[in-house]
Amino acid sequence: MSILNALYVSRRPAAAFVVIGLFWGCFAAHVPVLKAQLGASDAVFGVLLLGSATGLVSAMWVAPRADRLLGARSMQVGVVLLSLAWLLPGTITVPLVFAVTMALVGLASGLLDVVMNARVSELEAEHDRPLMNANHAMFSAAYAVGALLTANTREMGIPPAYVFAGLGVVSVVMARFMRMEPVHVSAEDGYTGGYPIWPIALCGAIVLVAFMSEAATEAWSALHVERTLGGGAAEGALGPAMLGFTMAIGRFSGQVVAARLREVTVVMGAAVLSAIGAVIAAMAPTPLVAYVGFGILGLGVSVIGPMGLALVGKLVAPHLRTEAISRVAVIGFSGFFFAPMLVGFMSEAFGLRIAFVAVAILLLLAVPLALSAARLPFHIAAKGGAVKA
């Protein structure tokens, strides 16, 4: 299946990936502004972002129930809630209130994320084709566009609140095209398997490693370029923009690779490549070298998360797929909020160079996790059996 065909088949959830990407790209490029607006140190700002993790973890429990209740309108409602939630952080100057607003953002983002990933997995099962990488590539491309857009608005002095509001209007307009009926699957006759704890735990850990690394780079790359390497505001915004563009390239390429190689093989190779990129960015003497590092990191890390989400869809019974993906997605996406906090503490204590070396070490953890997942049996409903990864 070609990339364009894959995107056409999954066009409705792909639009939701675009919405989330635009908002988070905008946020990443606004980090220096929001941090200065709050008057927070690196460590304090990292702790404030932990508020988002609270909302995201809540989404793990709420999303499957909300999806059953809202049905075909789940993604539409998620986009509206996310657009409303993003109206708040850019207007706040009190740190504690900012943490509360980010918790609301995390909840709305988590709800939409779980639903759109579940829809993609349902489409993968229906069409027997890999679709996850192409959809995550749309997130990355939109993320890069959001970061570049913010680079321009920052240079023009436009406040963050106005930028988030403008994206909200665009997103709500896009939501009208996201109505999609969920696929309800009953348990197979004679199914005796237990709850898939190990597939969820291992795939969740793989996705967590990927998204923690991605989040750390998104949240702190602009500050690394501006503060450590002496770049300007536009140069700083190019850090997350470079990550977004190369992740989009990596994920579109991953759409092709996924049809030819095992998920486990791709995850291990990508982990090593992205770790090399993180080290280059950490040791960079100039912004240009840092961009090269962020680019290599983006190419590698881009496919790890989508592969982990696709993998759990194959490791569990079809009637458990949506719930399993919701658990893995939220475990993984909690990394978007825990990682900035941890990097904030490391930056406060040792500087951002050491923090990015730690990101490289984190990425290498995906290798043993992938090897462990490879020992689990794949569940193939159509054949009534299982195969090894």
Side-chain angles (χ1 to χ4, degrees):
M1 177 178 286
S2 69
I3 293 173
L4 290 178
N5 192 6
L7 290 175
Y8 177 77
V9 169
S10 56
R11 58 194 178 278
R12 290 180 176 84
F17 276 89
V18 168
V19 167
I20 288 190
L22 285 171
F23 275 119
W24 283 111
C26 178
F27 171 77
H30 269 127
V31 162
V33 177
L34 296 174
K35 182 174 173 292
Q37 184 174 291
L38 295 167
S41 66
D42 288 0
V44 170
F45 188 71
V47 171
L48 295 178
L49 293 181
L50 189 59
S52 302
T54 304
L56 194 70
V57 170
S58 300
M60 180 174 70
W61 308 108
V62 175
R65 297 176 178 84
D67 192 21
R68 287 192 293 269
L69 177 65
L70 296 171
R73 296 194 177 276
S74 294
M75 286 191 292
Q76 293 177 308
V77 173
V79 168
V80 172
L81 291 176
L82 185 62
S83 300
L84 292 174
W86 273 115
L87 292 175
L88 303 173
T91 64
I92 304 301
T93 58
V94 180
L96 184 59
V97 179
F98 178 80
V100 173
T101 63
M102 289 304 294
L104 295 175
V105 167
L107 177 60
S109 184
L111 285 170
L112 179 58
D113 199 275
V114 166
V115 173
M116 68 190 193
N117 276 287
R119 294 292 181 274
V120 173
S121 185
E122 291 166 4
L123 289 170
E124 284 188 324
E126 179 183 350
H127 294 275
D128 192 25
R129 293 290 188 276
L131 301 169
M132 198 68 77
N133 273 292
N135 279 267
H136 281 258
M138 294 303 292
F139 165 87
S140 298
Y143 174 91
V145 170
L148 286 178
L149 173 66
T150 301
N152 290 317
T153 59
R154 281 184 61 187
E155 288 290 326
M156 292 185 288
I158 300 176
Y162 290 112
V163 181
F164 285 124
L167 289 180
V169 172
V170 174
S171 299
V172 170
V173 171
M174 291 175 62
R176 59 183 297 202
F177 303 106
M178 297 182 201
R179 181 183 173 90
M180 180 178 172
E181 291 288 347
V183 177
H184 298 289
V185 181
S186 300
E188 300 170 39
D189 293 337
Y191 178 78
T192 58
Y195 192 75
I197 294 176
W198 279 111
I200 290 174
L202 288 173
C203 293
I206 290 171
V207 178
L208 178 63
V209 165
F211 290 166
M212 282 186 71
S213 305
E214 181 182 340
T217 308
E218 289 175 355
W220 295 97
S221 57
L223 273 175
H224 182 49
V225 171
E226 292 180 33
R227 190 173 66 191
T228 308
L229 305 177
E235 289 176 300
L238 282 177
M242 176 63 74
L243 180 75
F245 277 125
T246 55
M247 286 186 67
I249 293 170
R251 284 171 173 169
F252 281 127
S253 301
Q255 177 65 33
V256 178
V257 171
R260 294 170 171 79
L261 296 177
R262 299 185 309 162
E263 288 87 352
V264 170
T265 302
V266 176
V267 167
M268 291 192 294
V272 173
L273 178 65
S274 54
I276 293 171
V279 172
I280 292 173
M283 299 294 105
T286 64
L288 181 60
V289 177
Y291 298 150
V292 173
F294 292 141
I296 295 173
L297 191 159
L299 285 173
V301 79
S302 63
V303 298
I304 299 176
M307 289 292 188
L309 288 163
L311 185 58
V312 76
K314 297 179 179 180
L315 289 172
V316 303
H319 70 282
L320 294 172
R321 186 179 296 119
T322 298
E323 184 175 351
I325 286 177
S326 74
R327 301 292 187 256
V328 169
V330 175
I331 290 171
F333 274 84
S334 65
F336 275 102
F337 310 109
F338 289 119
M341 177 195 67
L342 296 175
V343 172
F345 280 120
M346 292 198 67
S347 175
E348 189 85 5
F350 307 109
L352 280 170
R353 291 190 186 276
I354 299 299
F356 278 109
V357 171
V359 169
I361 296 171
L362 174 66
L363 282 160
L364 292 176
L365 293 178
V367 174
L369 289 168
L371 288 172
S372 298
R375 297 187 177 95
L376 298 175
F378 278 15
H379 189 100
I380 304 180
K383 296 181 180 179
V387 297
K388 283 290 183 180

